């Protein structure tokens, strides 16, 4: 499909051409195979569907052009060496579904300075999961959860900061203009409820639910 190799059932992405600079992974893909994007140095944009639950070993090894990545809301495991030496990667948001991150998953990500984790219980990580990353790397966790991370043998050595605000916000999407607005807008519109997470200087939204 569009030059990308999938398995017969189109549930696993097996390989991506190295010259691609942008990819939208189809909904229904559950797994990124080991080495699927190995050394895709032109890859700058990755659109990942919520059907993905696992990133295979060395899946994005050496992809040194993209600066951030939006993970599936249902991803549970990031395997060993998954983002080895993705040197342009600066930040990421890990959803509450993430249960484990493998050995050397982010080794050599020398510009990675911010990781936002929307999970109260610390995911399993190895001692070298964040080996040779930026010395200024900060891990942002939900409010009230810092002690849980600091009590974890593998997380305690990292710089952990609690997020400032967590809650729900409503956004209205106008059927006439397509413009979004905050709750209180009187336009006839479809209503969306968003979970939002507000860390210093950044706001993330996830788990969009359509209410008719």
């Amino acid at each position: 499909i569009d030059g990308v190799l999938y398995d017969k059932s189109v549930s696993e992405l097996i390989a991506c051409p190295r010259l691609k600079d942008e990819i939208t992974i189809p909904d229904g893909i559950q797994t990124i195979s080991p080495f699927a994007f190995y050394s895709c140095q032109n890859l700058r944009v990755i659109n990942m569907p919520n059907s993905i639950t696992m990133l295979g070993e060395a899946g994005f090894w050496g992809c040194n052009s993209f600066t951030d990545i939006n993970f599936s809301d249902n991803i549970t495991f990031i395997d060993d060496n998954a983002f080895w030496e993705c040197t342009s990667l600066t930040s990421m948001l890990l959803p509450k579904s993430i249960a484990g991150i493998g050995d050397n998953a982010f080794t050599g990500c020398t510009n990675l300075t911010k990781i936002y984790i929307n999970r109260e219980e610390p995911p399993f990580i190895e001692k070298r999961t964040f080996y040779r990353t930026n010395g200024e790397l900060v891990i942002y966790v939900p409010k009230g959860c810092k002690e849980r991370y600091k009590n974890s043998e593998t997380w305690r050595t990292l710089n952990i900061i609690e997020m400032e605000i967590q809650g729900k916000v409503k956004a209205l999407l106008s059927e006439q203009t397509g413009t979004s607005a905050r709750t209180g807008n009187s336009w006839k519109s479809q209503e969306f409820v968003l979970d939002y997470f507000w860390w210093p200087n950044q706001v993330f939204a996830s788990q969009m639910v359509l209410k008719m």
Side-chain angles (χ1 to χ4, degrees):
I1 300 174
D2 196 24
V4 181
L5 179 64
Y6 301 93
D7 71 338
K8 188 175 181 180
S9 65
V10 196
S11 63
E12 183 172 354
L13 191 155
I14 297 173
C16 178
R18 292 189 180 181
L19 295 180
K20 268 194 172 292
D21 62 358
E22 179 175 352
I23 182 171
T24 297
I25 301 172
D27 190 33
I29 299 298
Q30 300 173 10
T31 304
I32 304 295
S33 291
F35 297 93
F37 292 89
Y38 179 80
S39 198
C40 288
Q41 298 186 7
N42 293 326
L43 191 62
R44 295 180 294 103
V45 179
I46 306 163
N47 299 308
M48 191 178 296
N50 283 331
S51 54
I52 290 179
T53 59
M54 179 175 176
L55 295 186
E57 181 179 359
F60 291 91
W61 178 307
C63 296
N64 54 18
S65 292
F66 60 81
T67 58
D68 53 50
I69 185 167
N70 294 317
F71 289 104
S72 157
D73 285 344
N74 297 306
I75 193 163
T76 59
F77 187 67
I78 298 172
D79 209 342
D80 299 350
N81 309 308
F83 293 92
W84 180 289
E85 292 192 354
C86 291
T87 53
S88 294
L89 186 62
T90 60
S91 64
M92 72 182 71
L93 169 63
L94 295 171
K96 63 181 66 175
S97 60
I98 190 71
I101 307 173
D103 196 30
N104 289 304
F106 296 98
T107 288
C109 295
T110 51
N111 284 301
L112 183 60
T113 58
K114 297 176 183 178
I115 299 177
Y116 304 89
I117 304 178
N118 179 28
R119 182 180 171 91
E120 294 182 353
E121 292 297 327
F124 171 81
I125 62 171
E126 301 282 357
K127 290 184 177 179
R128 293 165 62 95
T129 292
F130 300 107
Y131 183 60
R132 286 198 294 110
T133 51
N134 191 294
E136 299 179 359
L137 176 63
V138 179
I139 311 292
Y140 294 94
V141 302
K143 189 172 183 179
C145 298
K146 180 177 179 177
E147 282 304 307
R148 298 183 194 180
Y149 280 78
K150 281 298 186 181
N151 288 333
S152 167
E153 182 179 351
T154 48
W155 286 97
R156 67 180 54 172
T157 59
L158 299 170
N159 185 12
I160 309 291
I161 295 179
E162 292 184 350
M163 68 179 181
E164 294 182 349
I165 300 173
Q166 181 175 3
K168 290 184 182 292
V169 63
K170 289 183 179 180
L172 297 183
L173 179 63
S174 169
E175 293 176 336
Q176 294 181 338
T177 66
T179 352
S180 58
R182 296 200 172 218
T183 302
N185 193 304
S186 58
W187 298 340
K188 291 182 180 179
S189 58
Q190 294 175 319
E191 182 176 334
F192 294 86
V193 178
L194 300 162
D195 281 346
Y196 79 93
F197 312 98
W198 188 359
W199 283 273
N201 303 319
Q202 298 200 42
V203 176
F204 293 91
S206 64
Q207 296 184 348
M208 183 179 287
V209 180
L210 173 63
K211 295 179 66 179
M212 300 303 292

